[in-house]
Each structure stands twice: as structure tokens, then as C-alpha cells.
Amino acid sequence: MTSQNLSTPLASPRLSPSAPSALDHLCARLGIPRPLFWGFVGLLIFMIGDGVELGYLAPYLGQNNIAASDIAVLFTVYGVTVAIGSWCAGALSNIWGPRRVMWLGAAIWVVFEILFLSLGVGQLSYPMMIVGYALRGFGYPLFAYGFLVWIVAATPARKLGVAMGWFWVAYAAGLPTLGALVASVTVPLIGALATFWLSLVLVIVGALLALLCVHDAAGSTRLAPVGEKPLTSLIGSIAILWTEPKTSLGAVVRTINTASMFGFFVILPGFFMDVVGFTLEQWLRLVTVIFVSNIAGNLISSRLANRLGLRNTVIWMGAVGSAISTPLFFYVPQLFPGDFAVACAMGALYGMTLGGFVPLSALMPLLVPKNRAAAVSVLSLGAGASTWVGPAIVAIFSASLGLAGIIWIFAGLYALSAALMIPLRDPPELKGKAMPAPAHGASVARA
């Protein structure tokens, strides 16, 4: 090396930001918020675990001499606690931050699932099933809808529709799409009880992935004004129902959205096995087909909303579409007994139209820009209420109206939801106008 080399300073390499990774490009292309990516993956795995049992719990209990009316009551009580947990998720996330609420939900799910399986299902003790299943019902909505608040807090308004679409994709892909598929494979291989325990493992894996691998600051940030207490936040999340009446309409529409789905899990397994002529495995695979189509519907509706608007997409694809597809799903397979392809076609249509309600999740927080967490809480309350409203309709009307009557009740509710959506107009910021400035302490989306 020469002296000139020693005396001449070396040129410093130019520092530049690291190039976007393949995952960054994928998230940008799909519209998934990059900081929350592993949260979506964790939610998917968590909901797979939660959905494993849904397609076969009712027939399993029926085969073990649990009366159909008792099964409907079990699902109804579970739905009530899910509704309460769904309401609390938004309000508590507002006070504690979404991450803490998700930890609470995961812990509740794990503890009471162990109780439900070991002392309830394992011993065929109906009282312990009621206790374990009901208390476990608080768990998944706190986890899932806590993450929903996290998405609202971390996503700008212009991207919220697509981000919400991906939330419901992850949610529905697990509960019950891939959950039912897992059950259809593992029940014949390892048995029903072992499959129940497998669901516990999946929930733990999903929860840890979401909570340990996502570091976005919005998850640990208090969204409510300083000094607001949990009880005040809970009351505020209910008071918004009458201070902002449009949120009440949205909550009712969200309840109607999936009420039929949860009602069908009580009555349709027996219908498709005894009347149409399917095996349990075929029924579980039909459930998978329905909700794979629902995932497609979620994505289609979130994209379609960019063209037609949020409200119009919910009315035509969701409400009107479901009012048509629900009776078709019941009547057409009876014309072709044992024909799995026909049942899949009708089930796919039904699942896709349910996905037409997804833009409501973006519309609700935009209707109340100064209190988005409360709006999400009301939306979650509606989602949770559907888990008991559907089974309750079955329990109340199955004896007097029969299965056909229940089908027409659900179809009529979808027609009603179309009318309820009419006053819920898209906000100005979605039409290129400036978004109103939030008040101090309001939960707002971050860029």
C-alpha cells in the first residue's frame, strides 16, 4: 500500500434506507398494513383453533345422547357471553390498549377450554359443558375484536376498507373454514376428543404469534381521553347507540349478517346428513366450501365498495344477495339428494353473499370519527349477538315452524337489513373531501 493510499481518506459509502423486502411488497400489493402482518396470521391460526369444533360439536353431542333442545341452549348461552365479550372488547381496548385485551381474551379461552373439555365433554357432564363453554365465550371476541380496534387505530381512513376486508378474511378463514377442514381430516384419524384438544394447541400458537411478533405502538396505546375509567368507557360504548342512532342500525344489520350461520350450525348438520344423505365428513367439507367462498366474498366486497360505495355494496351484495341465497341453500339440495356438487354450489353462493356485509366494518367507525373505538364496540356487539340470536331463533321456532320456517325467518331478516342500511350513507371523506379533525383524545386512524 502506498503513502498516497494511506493519506487519502477513503470515500464513505452512501447510506440508504434498506430496500423493501418481499413481504413489504406483498403487503403493499394486498393492502395489508405491514406492521400488523403477523397479527393477521396469528388471528387466522387462533380462529382456526376456535372453529375446529363448530361444525361437529352439535352432532357429536347428539350422538352422545344430549337432547337437541339442550344443544341449542348450550349454543345460545355461549352466544350471549360472546356478545358481552364482543361489546367489552372495544370499550376495554379504548382504556387499556388492544394488546392487553387480546392477552386477556387468549387467557380466558385457554383456561375455560380446558375446563370445558376435561370436566364437560370428557365426562359428558351437561352442567360443566354449560359453565365451561359459556365462560370460554368471552375469550375469542376479546382477542379478535381487540385486534379489530388495533387495525382501526393503526390504519388511515383511505385504506381502512381493504384492511377490514383482510380482518374478516383471516377471521372467516379460521372460523369455520379451515377449522372445519381440519376437523374433517383429524376426526377420522385421531378421534373427536383428540381433535378438541388439537384446537387448544392451535389457539395458543395463534395468540402467541400475534402478541409476540407485532410491535406496532398502537396496540399498547390508550385510545380514550386521559382520566376516563373502564366503566365510563363501557357505558359510553352503549350510550353511542342512542347518541348516534345510525350505529344502532349498523349493530342490527351486523347481527343479522351471521345469525343464520350460527343457527345453521345447530340444525343443518342433521338436515344434510339425514335428509340430503351426506356423511359427517361431507358436511364438514361443505362447511369448508361455504366459507372459502365467504373469504372470496369478503375480498370481492371490499374491492367492490371502492366502486359502488360501502353502503350500496352491503345492500345489494350482502342483504339482497343473502335473502336470495339462504332459501336456495336449503331447497335446491333437496332436489338433488346426495349430490355433493350441487350442495357445494348453493353453499358457495350463500357464503359469498354473507361476505357482502364486510364494508359495514369500515363504514361504522367512519360514521363516528370522534369515537371510533365505541363504534367498533357496537359493531362487535352486533357480531357477538349473532352467535346467540341464530341459535335462539332455532330453539324458539323449530318446534312450531319447522326447518323451512326458520329458513324463511332468516331470509326475511336479510330483506329487513337492506332497508335498515338505507340511512347509513358513506361519509364525505370517501368522496375525496377533507376528513373532519378529531377531538382531543378521540381514537383515530394513524397514517
Side-chain angles (χ1 to χ4, degrees):
M1 182 177 293
T2 65
S3 60
Q4 183 179 3
N5 294 134
L6 292 172
S7 61
T8 305
L10 296 173
S12 300
R14 192 171 193 178
L15 298 177
S16 60
S18 57
S21 66
L23 183 57
D24 292 329
H25 285 298
L26 178 65
C27 289
R29 186 176 184 83
L30 296 178
I32 296 175
R34 174 62 181 88
L36 303 182
F37 175 80
W38 291 110
F40 284 93
V41 176
L43 174 68
L44 169 63
I45 298 172
F46 185 102
M47 298 311 294
I48 290 173
D50 189 74
V52 162
E53 71 190 26
L54 199 54
Y56 81 96
L57 178 59
Y60 175 81
L61 295 178
Q63 291 166 2
N64 284 277
N65 300 316
I66 305 296
S69 59
D70 289 337
I71 295 172
V73 169
L74 177 69
F75 276 75
T76 302
V77 172
Y78 170 77
V80 170
T81 58
V82 167
I84 295 171
S86 301
W87 164 49
C88 292
L92 294 179
S93 295
N94 211 23
I95 296 293
W96 294 341
R99 186 192 300 274
R100 187 175 174 186
V101 174
M102 291 172 68
W103 274 114
L104 176 62
I108 288 174
W109 203 103
V110 169
V111 169
F112 290 107
E113 174 72 351
I114 293 172
L115 176 66
F116 173 64
L117 295 181
S118 59
L119 301 180
V121 174
Q123 304 296 323
L124 290 179
S125 169
Y126 185 72
M128 292 309 299
M129 289 183 204
I130 287 282
V131 172
Y133 205 50
L135 293 177
R136 201 202 80 183
F138 290 106
Y140 99 73
L142 289 174
F143 182 88
Y145 300 134
F147 186 58
L148 185 68
V149 175
W150 196 340
I151 294 171
V152 171
T155 308
R158 67 184 182 278
K159 298 180 179 179
L160 189 57
V162 175
M164 286 295 193
W166 281 111
F167 170 85
W168 291 112
V169 165
Y171 181 103
L175 176 69
T177 313
L178 295 177
L181 181 61
V182 168
S184 72
V185 173
T186 59
V187 169
L189 290 178
I190 64 176
L193 280 176
T195 298
F196 284 129
W197 287 104
L198 174 63
S199 69
L200 176 65
V201 174
L202 291 170
V203 163
I204 293 172
V205 170
L208 292 177
L209 186 63
L211 291 166
L212 299 180
C213 295
V214 178
H215 306 290
D216 180 76
S220 303
T221 302
R222 176 190 178 94
L223 305 176
V226 176
E228 185 172 309
K229 304 297 182 183
L231 182 59
T232 304
S233 183
L234 286 169
I235 294 173
S237 67
I238 285 295
I240 197 174
L241 289 169
W242 53 85
T243 58
E244 298 284 351
K246 290 182 179 180
T247 62
S248 300
L249 297 179
V252 174
V253 171
R254 181 61 187 87
T255 301
I256 293 171
N257 175 197
T258 47
S260 68
M261 181 185 81
F262 288 102
F264 285 170
F265 281 122
V266 178
I267 55 171
L268 287 193
F271 167 74
F272 275 98
M273 288 187 284
D274 299 337
V275 177
V276 181
F278 290 170
T279 65
L280 174 61
E281 288 74 23
Q282 284 179 309
W283 158 248
L284 291 173
R285 290 191 177 103
L286 175 59
V287 170
T288 302
V289 169
I290 291 170
F291 290 99
V292 166
S293 301
N294 178 250
I295 293 169
N298 292 345
L299 293 173
I300 291 169
S301 67
S302 62
R303 300 290 181 177
L304 193 60
N306 291 332
R307 294 178 175 270
L308 299 182
L310 299 171
R311 181 191 67 165
N312 289 338
T313 301
V314 173
I315 289 176
W316 293 108
M317 181 178 172
V320 175
S322 297
I324 295 170
S325 66
T326 298
L328 288 177
F329 182 42
F330 174 69
Y331 286 106
V332 173
Q334 295 182 66
L335 301 177
F336 303 90
D339 194 322
F340 188 69
V342 169
C344 285
M346 294 300 100
L349 178 63
Y350 167 72
M352 187 168 292
T353 57
L354 288 187
F357 286 88
V358 158
L360 180 64
S361 299
L363 180 59
M364 283 282 282
L366 296 178
L367 291 174
V368 193
K370 295 182 179 180
N371 199 352
R372 293 188 178 187
V376 171
S377 184
V378 169
L379 180 75
S380 302
L381 176 62
S386 70
T387 64
W388 68 264
V389 168
I393 289 173
V394 172
I396 293 169
F397 295 105
S398 59
S400 58
L401 299 180
L403 185 51
I406 292 170
I407 294 297
W408 285 108
I409 288 175
F410 286 131
L413 288 173
Y414 285 123
L416 173 63
S417 70
L420 295 178
M421 281 298 302
I422 293 174
L424 306 185
R425 299 184 181 278
D426 291 8
E429 61 266 28
L430 297 185
K431 302 174 184 179
K433 297 181 181 179
M435 189 172 180
H440 175 69
S443 51
V444 297
R446 295 191 180 117

